[in-house]
Amino acid sequence: MPTPAVGLRQQMLRRRPVSGAPVAEGASDQLQRSLGVFLLTMFGVGETVGSGIFIVLSQSVPQAGPAVVISFIIAGVAAGLAAICYAELASAVPVSGSAYSYAYATLGEFAAMGVAACLLLEYGVSTAAVAVGWSQYLNKLLGNIFGVVLPQSISAAPWDPQHGVANLPAIALVAMCAVLLIRGANASAKVNAVMVVIKIGVLVLFSAIAFTAFHAGNFKDLAPFGLSGISLASGTIFFAYIGLDAVSTAGDEVKDPQHTMPRAIIAALMIVTAIHLLVSVAAIGAQRWQDFKGEEAVLAVILDHITGNTAGSTIVAAGAVISIFSVTLVTLYGQTRILFTMGRDGLLPAAFAKVHPRTMAPVRNTLIVAFVVALLAAVVPLDRLAEIVSIGTLTAFIVVSGGVIVLRIQEPDLPRGFKVPGYPLTPILSIAACAYILVSLHWYTWVAFSGWVAVALIFYLAWGRRHSALNGRVD
C-alpha cells in the first residue's frame, strides 16, 4: 500500500476511529464473539491469582520483609485505580488489543506503537516467568508423590543459581497451552474457568492451615528495609496484575463488550485483591520473612514445616501446577490477540491477523509466540524476568488512565457502558500511583525496557507507518 501524501507528524498523531476503522489488506476483520461475564472474569482471575502468590512471594518478601503485605496493598490500589480506567475504555473502545487499542484511539499511532511494545514485552516475559515458576512446583509435586526430582540440568536455566542447561518442564507447559489455544478461545476459557475454581480452593486451604501456625511476632520487625523496600516489592508484585489487562485483550471475542468487559474487570479485581491479602498475611504469619529468600515452591514448603508431613504441601503443589497452567494460558492468549489487532491495523504484517477458518483462532500467532516464550523460559531464570514485566504493565496502566481523560475531552458524547467514578481525580491518582511504583524499579530494568521500546519505534518509522490501514483515509 503506498504511503499517503501526509507528513510524518500527521502519521504519528493520527488516531484509529472507535468505530468503522479500516482493516489492513489481507487481514481478517474480527474474531468470534463467544465469551460472557463469567468466563471473562475467570480470565482475569486466572492470570492474576497465581503469578503473584505462588511465585513472586519468594522475591518480594526478602525485599520488604513483613511489610510485603503493605506492598500488596499499594500494588492493589494502583491496579484498582487503573482497572476502573480500563473498565471505561473497554466499554468505549470494545476491541481486542488492550492498552494498544486505547492508545491508538486517544493518543495516536506513534504512541500506540510504543504501548504495543510495552504489552508485547510484559506478556512475553510474564509467560516465560510463570512457566519457570511452574517448573519449580512440578518438581515439588513429583518429589512428594513419587520421590522423583527432575535433574537440575533439565529443570533450570543456564544462568540460574542451579546452573542447569534448559528448563524442559517450562517448554512443555508453553507447548500444552499453545495446543489448547489453537482449539479456540471458548474452549480455552472453559478449561481456564475450571482451573481458577480449583486454585482458589487450594489457596483458601493453604490459608486455613497456615493460620493454625500464625505467630504475630513474625510481623514485629515490620519494615526492615524501610519505604524503599516496600516500594521495590510493590514493583515486583505488580508483575501479577497483568491479568486485569488480559481481560481487555479479548474485546473482539466478548458478547456485548460494552457491558461485559467493565463487569469482568471490576469482578476480577475484587476477587484478586481478597485472595492476595489473605494468602500473604497467612504466609508471613506462618514463616519468618528471612526464610523466604531463594525458597522454591514457597507455599508448599511452608505447609511442610507446619504439618510435619507432605500431605498439605502436595495439595498446594498440585494446585500451583494447575494454577500456573491457567496463568500461562491467559498470558499466551493475550499476546496473540495483541499481535492480531496490530496486524489488522497494518502496523505488523497482515499475516498476524489471519485466523483458522474452523476455530477462528490466530494459529500462526500462537505458534510464533509459543516458540519465543518457550525459548525465554528455557534459558532465563525467574528473578531476571519478574521486574521487567512490571515496568511494561505499569506503563500500560498509565497510558490507559491518561486515555480516559483524553477520550473524555476528544469525544465526550461517545457511548460508554461504564464511566469512571470521581473523574478526573481517579485517573490522575491512578497515574500517580503507577508512577510512584515505577520510580522504585532498578536502573537496569529501565535500560532493558527503553532499548526494547526504541527498537519497536524504529520499526514503526521504517515499516509500520508505511503500511498502516489508515493510509489513504480522509478524515
Side-chain angles (χ1 to χ4, degrees):
M1 180 180 294
T3 306
V6 295
L8 174 61
R9 183 176 182 275
Q10 291 175 286
Q11 290 179 331
M12 294 168 64
L13 295 178
R14 59 189 173 188
R15 296 181 291 118
R16 185 183 189 275
V18 174
S19 59
V23 176
E25 184 178 350
S28 299
D29 185 16
Q30 66 179 26
L31 302 163
Q32 185 178 26
R33 297 193 181 276
S34 60
L35 303 178
V37 174
F38 176 73
L39 289 180
L40 194 59
T41 300
M42 292 300 99
F43 253 45
V45 177
E47 199 290 330
T48 308
V49 173
S51 50
I53 288 298
F54 283 110
I55 300 173
V56 176
L57 272 179
S58 59
Q59 276 81 49
S60 58
V61 173
Q63 292 172 335
V68 74
V69 175
I70 299 175
S71 300
F72 268 105
I73 293 173
I74 292 173
V77 168
L81 291 169
I84 294 172
C85 296
Y86 263 95
E88 175 168 327
L89 286 189
S91 71
V93 189
V95 297
S96 293
S98 177
Y100 155 75
S101 294
Y102 306 152
Y104 207 164
T106 58
L107 304 177
E109 196 168 88
F110 188 71
M113 194 68 184
V115 172
C118 296
L119 293 174
L120 293 176
L121 177 70
E122 73 177 73
Y123 276 95
V125 177
S126 68
T127 309
V130 295
V132 173
W134 186 81
S135 178
Q136 296 174 1
Y137 276 97
L138 179 66
N139 241 345
K140 177 68 175 174
L141 183 63
L142 292 175
N144 283 5
I145 297 177
F146 303 109
V148 174
V149 176
L150 297 175
Q152 293 177 358
S153 60
I154 63 169
S155 61
W159 295 285
D160 191 278
Q162 305 298 326
H163 301 298
V165 175
N167 196 325
L168 296 187
I171 296 175
L173 172 63
V174 174
M176 288 187 288
C177 290
V179 169
L180 190 57
L181 287 174
I182 287 171
R183 295 182 59 191
N186 193 46
S188 302
K190 289 177 179 177
V191 171
N192 173 71
V194 173
M195 292 180 176
V196 169
V197 172
I198 293 172
K199 85 162 79 176
I200 290 177
V202 168
L203 288 171
V204 170
L205 174 65
F206 164 82
S207 300
I209 297 174
F211 274 120
T212 65
F214 188 89
H215 294 288
N218 287 351
F219 289 87
K220 186 177 181 180
D221 186 13
L222 182 63
F225 305 108
L227 185 59
S228 62
I230 295 173
S231 302
L232 181 60
S234 296
T236 302
I237 289 166
F238 215 88
F239 155 79
Y241 282 94
I242 189 177
L244 300 177
D245 181 274
V247 173
S248 63
T249 65
D252 279 304
E253 293 169 282
V254 175
K255 303 172 186 175
D256 187 19
Q258 286 85 355
H259 299 95
T260 298
M261 293 178 70
R263 292 169 184 166
I265 290 170
I266 300 300
L269 172 68
M270 294 172 64
I271 295 170
V272 164
T273 301
I275 292 294
H276 278 176
L277 289 177
L278 175 68
V279 177
S280 60
V281 171
I284 295 291
Q287 177 172 287
R288 295 186 326 128
W289 69 267
Q290 294 92 338
D291 297 333
F292 279 79
K293 187 173 183 178
E295 201 166 60
E296 296 186 355
V298 61
L299 298 189
V301 172
I302 290 174
L303 290 195
D304 280 346
H305 296 159
I306 293 172
T307 63
N309 59 61
T310 60
S313 69
T314 299
I315 295 174
V316 169
V321 167
I322 294 171
S323 170
I324 298 171
F325 187 106
S326 74
V327 174
T328 309
L329 181 69
V330 175
T331 52
L332 201 64
Y333 166 89
Q335 190 169 32
T336 63
R337 270 49 182 184
I338 292 167
L339 290 171
F340 171 85
T341 307
M342 294 179 70
R344 186 175 60 186
D345 292 342
L347 299 186
L348 286 178
F352 284 98
K354 296 286 189 180
V355 297
H356 191 278
R358 181 174 59 83
T359 64
M360 296 299 290
V363 175
R364 182 183 284 106
N365 291 5
T366 305
L367 294 175
I368 292 172
V369 170
F371 173 78
V372 174
V373 167
L375 185 62
L376 270 177
V379 300
V380 182
L382 177 62
D383 61 351
R384 301 191 185 186
L385 292 172
E387 194 172 297
I388 203 167
V389 178
S390 294
I391 196 171
T393 306
L394 287 160
T395 303
F397 281 15
I398 288 174
V399 169
V400 168
S401 302
V404 168
I405 299 173
V406 173
L407 199 61
R408 287 278 189 107
I409 295 171
Q410 291 175 342
E411 301 193 45
D413 300 324
L414 185 70
R416 293 166 172 85
F418 175 88
K419 284 192 172 183
V420 169
Y423 175 88
L425 182 60
T426 300
I428 291 173
L429 287 176
S430 174
I431 293 169
C434 292
Y436 170 76
I437 298 174
L438 267 177
V439 299
S440 70
L441 299 179
H442 289 114
W443 65 268
Y444 51 78
T445 304
W446 278 98
V447 171
F449 170 74
S450 301
W452 167 255
V453 173
V455 169
L457 294 179
I458 290 171
F459 173 82
Y460 166 76
L461 294 173
W463 191 93
R465 67 187 179 92
R466 303 178 187 278
H467 296 80
S468 170
L470 296 183
N471 285 344
R473 178 183 172 87
V474 179
D475 294 318

